[in-house]
Amino acid sequence: MKNLKLKKTEKTLIITINRPDELNALNSALINELDDVFSNNRDDNNISSVIITGAGSKSFVAGADIKEMANFSSSAAAAYSSHGIELFNNIESYSKPVIAAINGYALGGGLELALSCHIRYISKNAILGLPEVSLGLIPGFGGTQRLRSIVGLGIAIEMITSAKHINSDEALRIGLANKICNDVLEESLLLCQKISLNSPMAIKTAIQSIILGKNANYYDSFDIENNLFSQLFTSSDTKEGIDAFLEKRKPKFKN
Ligand code: COA
């Protein structure tokens, strides 16, 4: 792949966005490549989690590629935005935990990518923001919706309308980041190791319940959880997890 580097370590797929000369800005070719990765590895049982990070130490992703957008017609902008939204929805509903290991700038489309990931670990030098209005734009890859659902309405409107950049301490304070890390990739891999010990079937089901529930009516969301919870009792992983506890041994999950 031209714009991505892929590496598998034990049960984790590490995706590195690799356009360091443009601070890893997202162009259409890169979005297509990410699309391929998330479509092709959906049912790969050898992977229990995914990490997305940026090449170099300066930037995770500094946004959508502004140079590419310069000559967009309104219809080209619509196609570009809906492709990005579709990809980021696929990441958000991915069956394995996806961790954004944010090593520097996560601006515009870069923060929108991170918002579609399930977990955000950030470096001390991380700078986050949705500065699109400073370019006469708005976020177009789902950022207006996801930022609001993660940090709340007031902070989302403040961040988006002021176009401000926030530092790692502020990102942690408002719940935009899970953790500030000395070595963001190393700490993300440690988390992936913990994830890999648990039942892949239960993890997939938990993500499904959280994401479907997030978008459902409040009371319907409990029906979603109830259905998914009961379905697990037909799976061998659930039997194995409970048997292992009762027999005081470590479970061997098969998915
Ligand atoms: N799209 C396209 N190219 C980008 C880019 C983007 N979103 N962000 C950075 N680049 C390019 C720059 O044009 C520059 O390329 P050049 O050397 O060919 O001119 C290169 O990456 C380095 O960026 P530069 O601006 O020189 O680095 P800096 O350290 O001075 O500033 C940023 C870093 C992130 C603050 C600055 O690049 C920036 O504001 N980028 C745009 C962020 C943004 O608004 N994103 C939302 C887009 S909708």
Side-chain angles (χ1 to χ4, degrees):
M1 288 192 166
K2 192 167 170 270
N3 301 290
L4 300 179
K5 279 196 290 190
L6 303 182
K7 186 177 169 189
K8 264 189 205 170
T9 58
E10 300 204 18
K11 299 206 89 188
T12 301
L13 173 65
I14 304 174
I15 304 171
T16 304
I17 313 278
N18 191 28
R19 296 183 74 215
D21 293 343
E22 285 82 20
L23 302 184
N24 304 320
L26 301 174
N27 62 12
S28 302
L30 200 159
I31 291 173
N32 284 334
E33 289 176 22
L34 266 178
D35 218 357
D36 285 347
V37 173
F38 278 93
S39 308
N40 293 340
N41 291 290
R42 253 190 134 71
D43 299 314
D44 186 343
N45 288 339
N46 297 314
I47 298 169
S48 62
S49 50
V50 176
I51 295 174
I52 305 180
T53 194
S57 58
K58 191 170 169 183
S59 181
F60 172 70
V61 172
D65 191 321
I66 300 169
K67 292 165 192 163
E68 186 179 48
M69 284 194 291
N71 297 315
F72 272 179
S73 62
S74 178
S75 59
Y80 181 70
S81 163
S82 61
H83 190 193
I85 287 173
E86 192 186 330
L87 166 66
F88 289 4
N89 285 343
N90 280 339
I91 295 176
E92 184 182 61
S93 63
Y94 200 60
S95 55
K96 303 150 208 302
V98 183
I99 299 156
I102 301 175
N103 54 320
Y105 291 112
L107 296 173
L111 181 55
E112 292 178 288
L113 170 62
L115 291 169
S116 74
C117 296
H118 302 126
I119 295 161
R120 284 161 291 283
Y121 274 17
I122 64 175
S123 58
K124 187 83 198 137
N125 71 336
I127 299 284
L128 296 87
L130 290 180
E132 284 86 347
V133 296
S134 68
L135 298 161
L137 290 168
I138 65 166
F141 291 158
T144 57
Q145 309 309 309
R146 286 202 177 90
L147 185 65
R148 184 202 58 196
S149 77
I150 291 171
V151 300
L153 191 64
I155 293 175
I157 292 185
E158 180 186 343
M159 277 182 66
I160 291 172
T161 58
S162 66
K164 71 179 178 180
H165 291 179
I166 64 169
N167 65 23
S168 51
D169 289 334
E170 180 70 355
L172 187 67
R173 193 185 67 77
I174 64 175
L176 189 49
N178 294 49
K179 188 177 184 186
I180 300 174
C181 307
N182 287 327
D183 185 326
V184 81
L185 191 55
E186 199 175 289
E187 294 194 40
S188 300
L189 280 165
L190 283 176
L191 177 66
C192 291
Q193 259 172 31
K194 290 202 176 106
I195 290 169
S196 72
L197 301 177
N198 300 317
S199 155
M201 175 61 85
I203 288 175
K204 175 180 172 175
T205 308
I207 293 175
Q208 239 180 321
S209 183
I210 293 164
I211 300 300
L212 290 176
K214 175 170 94 77
N215 301 322
N217 165 289
Y218 185 63
Y219 289 105
D220 291 346
S221 66
F222 296 109
D223 291 337
I224 292 171
E225 185 178 285
N226 173 265
N227 280 332
L228 290 167
F229 176 80
S230 53
Q231 274 171 33
L232 282 174
F233 283 79
T234 62
S235 95
S236 58
D237 258 11
T238 302
K239 183 172 177 349
E240 168 62 11
I242 293 175
D243 285 353
F245 177 82
L246 296 176
E247 291 161 17
K248 301 189 188 304
R249 60 175 174 83
K250 293 241 183 302
K252 288 191 188 124
F253 292 119
K254 292 202 186 90
N255 202 10

